[in-house]
Amino acid sequence: MAQLNMVQAINQALADEMARDDRVVLLGEDLGRDGGVFRVTEGLQERFGPERVLDTPLCESAIMGAAVGMAAYGLRPVPEIQFMGFTYSAFEQLFAHAARLRSRSRGRFSCPLVVRTPYGGGIKAPELHEESTEAIFCHIPGLKVVVPSGPYSAKGLLLAALRDPDPVLFLEPTRLYRMIKEEVPEGDYQLELGKARLARKGSAVTVVAWGSMLERVLKSVDGYDAEVIDLLTLNPLDLETLLASVQKTGRAVIVHEAIKTCGLGAEIAATLAEEAMLHLRAPILRVTAPDVPVPLAKLIDQYLPGPDRIRAALDEVLKY
């Protein structure tokens, strides 16, 4: 199998699905002629033409609104928002229309679109270009939120998302775009949405992570008897896998690069406390970014959770 990075794996998934299903249409700023700001869609306009790979004006609400209409009338649009921090301009279209269309129409219409957007910190770009506000979108009923952690999961999850009958927000960790290479099958394969992955077996503590934090967690747990869960899908959560692990280990540490207050880690911690209280041997700890806006480039390494903070949390829960 070919060794691909995440950019190549996503490009391959898009190309394969566009070849298989002529309803798939890409739209966004600079994604056609220029191949997108990270060159993820490079070569697709040349292959499939400007009618299926559309360069749009710089207007996120228009991109999302057009995609909702396309999806309602039978196409499979894939709008790209250049950075997660720019999705806020399109939030009303996503929250009030895309996620509600099936319910609002009592099942007469669905909205099978996949919103692709780079997200997360570590590339030394200004604030809105490094946002990690996934918890906002996990609060939207009717919207699935998916985050790959490597090239293999990126292709498998994206193919599954492209065939889902309802809207999916597909968050692509920018720090991982070209950092990791993995074996990625050329053929068609899907990873089930709503299913987490056991990234490392252990018995003393469960560490939960997603996106680019998984790479940091796996490096940080060396020397610990830690079980690591890669969520892959943030909404809906794979509670079965989470609960089974915590019931075994009795301890949990949640690592995410979003701020702490009202982050997804709070929802996970509350659920574990509700459903696995009698199995817990220690408080559930969260390792997160501080409750401040994303800083300028020189401070980003201090802002994001790193190995020292992750290990300190592990040491703390293992005292109990």
Side-chain angles (χ1 to χ4, degrees):
M1 284 184 285
Q3 291 273 341
L4 303 182
N5 62 32
M6 189 178 286
V7 166
Q8 294 167 323
I10 293 170
N11 183 285
Q12 188 177 99
L14 291 170
D16 288 355
E17 194 64 8
M18 292 182 77
R20 190 192 74 87
D21 187 347
D22 60 11
R23 297 174 299 169
V24 177
V25 178
L26 314 186
L27 66 157
E29 299 159 12
D30 300 325
L31 63 74
R33 186 178 64 181
D34 292 341
V37 67
F38 291 101
R39 303 300 182 260
V40 177
T41 54
E42 192 168 35
L44 297 182
Q45 191 177 70
E46 290 87 345
R47 179 175 174 183
F48 296 101
E51 296 81 12
R52 294 186 65 197
V53 184
L54 288 72
D55 282 315
T56 68
L58 199 161
C59 184
E60 285 78 10
S61 61
I63 294 168
M64 196 71 71
V68 171
M70 290 176 176
Y73 281 92
L75 293 176
R76 293 254 173 184
V78 186
E80 178 189 291
I81 306 299
Q82 279 193 344
F83 291 92
M84 189 178 195
F86 302 163
T87 58
Y88 313 142
S89 299
F91 188 81
E92 192 269 343
Q93 296 284 0
L94 191 59
F95 177 77
H97 301 292
R100 298 171 186 243
L101 189 57
R102 180 182 291 279
S103 175
R104 180 179 293 151
S105 67
R106 300 300 184 261
R108 289 168 52 236
F109 292 97
S110 61
C111 195
L113 61 81
V114 177
V115 184
R116 292 183 42 252
T117 186
Y119 98 108
I123 61 170
K124 308 296 175 69
E127 46 177 278
L128 288 172
H129 303 73
E130 300 213 10
E131 296 276 78
S132 182
T133 52
E134 61 271 23
I136 295 174
F137 298 91
C138 291
H139 200 65
I140 303 176
L143 177 68
K144 296 182 178 72
V145 180
V146 175
V147 184
S149 57
Y152 177 83
S153 62
K155 180 178 178 181
L157 289 169
L158 183 54
L159 286 173
L162 290 166
R163 298 175 196 179
D164 196 88
D166 293 299
V168 178
L169 177 62
F170 193 84
L171 301 176
E172 301 169 4
T174 50
R175 197 171 67 86
L176 300 185
Y177 264 153
R178 292 177 172 85
M179 175 186 286
I180 299 170
K181 283 194 172 185
E182 293 176 341
E183 289 188 344
V184 177
E186 284 191 21
D188 184 11
Y189 69 95
Q190 299 178 55
L191 299 183
E192 182 182 352
L193 302 186
K195 188 69 175 175
R197 176 178 74 96
L198 187 62
R200 184 183 192 268
K201 290 185 177 181
S203 60
V205 58
T206 298
V207 185
V208 182
W210 55 91
S212 71
M213 288 296 102
L214 180 76
E215 179 264 343
R216 290 197 172 178
V217 163
L218 289 174
K219 289 181 178 179
S220 302
V221 299
D222 189 37
Y224 292 87
D225 185 12
E227 184 151 288
V228 178
I229 295 176
D230 177 11
L231 285 184
L232 297 177
T233 301
L234 308 186
N235 188 33
L237 282 171
D238 182 359
L239 296 180
E240 182 179 351
T241 297
L242 286 169
L243 291 170
S245 179
V246 172
Q247 287 168 0
K248 177 178 69 173
T249 66
R251 304 175 181 88
V253 173
I254 303 159
V255 182
H256 61 68
E257 59 182 294
I259 64 171
K260 187 173 187 177
T261 300
C262 295
L264 187 62
E267 177 66 23
I268 295 169
T271 301
L272 293 176
E274 289 171 354
E275 303 292 337
M277 174 62 77
L278 297 181
H279 298 271
L280 291 172
R281 304 177 187 176
I284 300 167
L285 296 187
R286 290 172 286 162
V287 184
T288 73
D291 288 356
V292 298
V294 177
L296 295 175
K298 287 185 178 180
L299 293 175
I300 194 66
D301 291 332
Q302 286 72 43
Y303 175 82
L304 296 174
D308 290 345
R309 290 173 57 201
I310 295 169
R311 292 184 187 120
L314 293 173
D315 292 338
E316 182 64 25
V317 297
L318 289 169
K319 290 178 182 177
Y320 291 85

